Amino acid sequence: MTSTIEGTGTGTVPAGSGTPGGILDLVRSGRSRSRADLARSTGLSPSTVSQRVDALIAAGYLREAGAGVSHGGRRPRALEVDASTGVVCAADLGSHHATFGLIDLNGRLLASRTEAMDIATGPAVVLGWIADMGAELTAEHGQPGQTLRGFGIGLPGPVDSTTGRMVSPSRMPGWNGVDVAAELTAITGLPAAADNDANLMALGEYDTLGAEVGELVFVKAGSSIGCGIIAFGGVYHGHHGMAGDISHVTVPGAPDVLCSCGRIGCLDAVAGGAAIVQALRASGVEISDTREVLALARDAHPRATQELREAGLRTGGVLATIMNFFNPQRLVLGGILGEAEAFVAGVRSAIYSDCLPMITDQLDIAVSVAKENAGIRGAGRLILDSVFDPARVDLVVR
């Protein structure tokens, strides 16, 4: 029998596994906090557990940190992941900018930085730049002894979860079919993991909230609109990674706007930040980006406020079907449009109008707690789950 340990990520571990990777997984998940706990969880003898813990300590995976909880007799030494040995680099890519985070092995964000970029320059240029940024952040903010251990990347396009390859990403020329993680590993020689940005924002939000929430739908509402789903303690990808892709759902009654996918009236084309900017320009408002739309709305500009609310109503109309079907505990609005009161009000109005009362009675509709760090926190969690994957650890510690 196998069981996925909640709080870890990439694989399954035999229940009570006593391999070095399984032992590390038990400590990392919080299910075991001492050698005695591990002996009880795995059924191994205390001497065998000690041998494997000592090997994990020697390899830089674990350390002893103070006294744990006593179950009678002397208090045991507490075990934890040794964050002093390494860091990972998380990158959340947009069309014209990227946010980077340097994260230690316990998942703590040590530093973050946002830089301008153009995703259309292609994978070779962008991935080489990411590799350089990881090395630079480690040199600037890592502690002595902390080496760069891997990269996690959020991508503004669909990623096939079975192959790792990008699938027909809009506005990303040259990226279709690219296995981003494999390409970055080839450049750096380090483990890498990649997923759709909305999925990783959902994961970052989930990690930030902790155990207080179960099922969660995260809407990334920026220049485009995406959605990530949390279920069963992690990201729900669907059959091959397309779950939550609401960008190309046709919005009933919306203007006949041509979408990048070639269809008419997709949510992305009629409610995303880029669509709002285009609508305002068409009405004679001189504006360059979504951030300026929000500034106008804060100054009570009637047309900007109207466009934001209409976008919220259209987004909420699509989300209402998802709420009725999935019945999540929490709906989170993230991205730049999540900062706009008129957009949030439009989403709420549509949800409460179109959903059954039994769905909305206990539905928490909230603005992101992780905010602009949601993506890098999710990307960090993704690569840490890969670095600490039990099978990978078992290859290192025998």
Side-chain angles (χ1 to χ4, degrees):
M1 168 178 149
T2 62
S3 63
T4 301
I5 298 176
E6 184 175 348
T8 65
T10 56
T12 56
V13 180
S17 172
T19 70
I23 285 174
L24 177 59
D25 211 28
L26 288 169
V27 174
R28 184 171 174 244
S29 70
R31 293 179 61 183
S32 296
R33 300 187 181 278
S34 68
R35 297 174 192 242
D37 286 345
L38 288 167
R40 283 189 289 269
S41 297
T42 63
L44 297 174
S45 68
S47 61
T48 300
V49 166
S50 287
Q51 288 174 354
R52 292 179 183 170
V53 166
D54 288 343
L56 288 165
I57 290 173
Y61 285 108
L62 289 180
R63 66 183 176 190
E64 291 180 310
V69 177
S70 173
H71 297 282
R74 189 173 60 183
R75 296 175 70 187
R77 298 291 299 276
L79 294 170
E80 65 179 18
V81 171
D82 188 353
S84 70
T85 63
V87 292
V88 294
C89 177
D92 181 20
L93 304 187
S95 297
H96 302 291
H97 73 279
T99 299
F100 291 90
L102 191 71
I103 296 171
D104 75 15
L105 298 185
N106 270 321
R108 288 187 290 262
L109 181 63
L110 304 178
S112 63
R113 179 187 302 175
T114 298
E115 300 280 350
M117 61 156 288
D118 183 0
I119 200 76
T121 56
V125 173
V126 172
L127 296 181
W129 177 60
I130 290 172
D132 292 341
M133 285 296 298
E136 185 176 320
L137 284 170
T138 303
E140 291 180 2
H141 301 285
Q143 298 298 312
Q146 285 183 323
T147 58
L148 184 58
R149 303 281 285 274
F151 291 83
I153 309 173
L155 297 162
V159 178
D160 188 325
S161 60
T162 62
T163 66
R165 298 183 180 276
M166 300 205 72
V167 182
S168 302
S170 302
R171 297 180 291 276
M172 293 180 68
W175 292 80
N176 185 43
V178 174
D179 185 336
V180 172
E183 293 289 334
L184 189 54
T185 293
I187 293 170
T188 65
L190 296 173
D195 201 347
N196 171 260
D197 56 357
N199 285 341
L200 294 188
M201 287 179 178
L203 185 60
E205 185 76 11
Y206 176 69
D207 264 12
T208 301
L209 292 170
E212 69 180 69
V213 69
E215 298 81 12
L216 178 151
V217 171
F218 186 100
V219 179
K220 176 210 139 186
S223 58
S224 60
I225 296 179
C227 180
I229 300 170
I230 296 293
F232 312 112
V235 175
Y236 178 73
H237 287 98
H239 177 55
H240 65 111
M242 302 302 121
D245 190 356
I246 63 174
S247 303
H248 302 291
V249 174
T250 302
V251 180
D256 292 335
V257 178
L258 180 64
C259 180
S260 60
C261 73
R263 299 167 66 223
I264 299 294
C266 293
L267 178 64
D268 203 35
V270 300
I276 297 172
V277 170
Q278 289 175 358
L280 286 171
R281 285 175 180 168
S283 67
V285 179
E286 293 295 327
I287 197 165
S288 61
D289 59 24
T290 311
R291 184 68 65 183
E292 291 186 14
V293 177
L294 269 64
L296 287 176
R298 283 193 292 268
D299 285 340
H301 189 286
R303 190 58 189 267
T305 303
Q306 179 189 31
E307 290 291 343
L308 284 166
R309 182 172 175 80
E310 186 65 32
L313 286 168
R314 290 168 178 162
T315 303
V318 171
L319 290 172
T321 300
I322 296 173
M323 297 302 101
N324 280 329
F325 176 78
F326 182 51
N327 186 27
Q329 180 182 348
R330 193 177 184 97
L331 169 63
V332 180
L333 303 177
I336 188 171
L337 293 183
E339 302 172 16
E341 292 181 6
F343 178 83
V344 175
V347 172
R348 287 181 181 273
S349 178
I351 293 290
Y352 285 113
S353 172
D354 296 351
C355 285
L356 296 169
M358 66 183 70
I359 297 295
T360 57
D361 279 349
Q362 297 187 42
L363 173 64
D364 186 8
I365 304 175
V367 175
S368 173
V369 173
K371 299 187 182 300
E372 66 275 4
N373 287 333
I376 55 175
R377 287 192 178 279
R381 161 77 182 267
L382 182 71
I383 184 57
L384 286 174
D385 285 346
S386 178
V387 167
F388 289 121
D389 180 75
R392 184 189 296 274
V393 174
D394 287 344
L395 293 175
V396 177
V397 182
R398 297 179 183 277

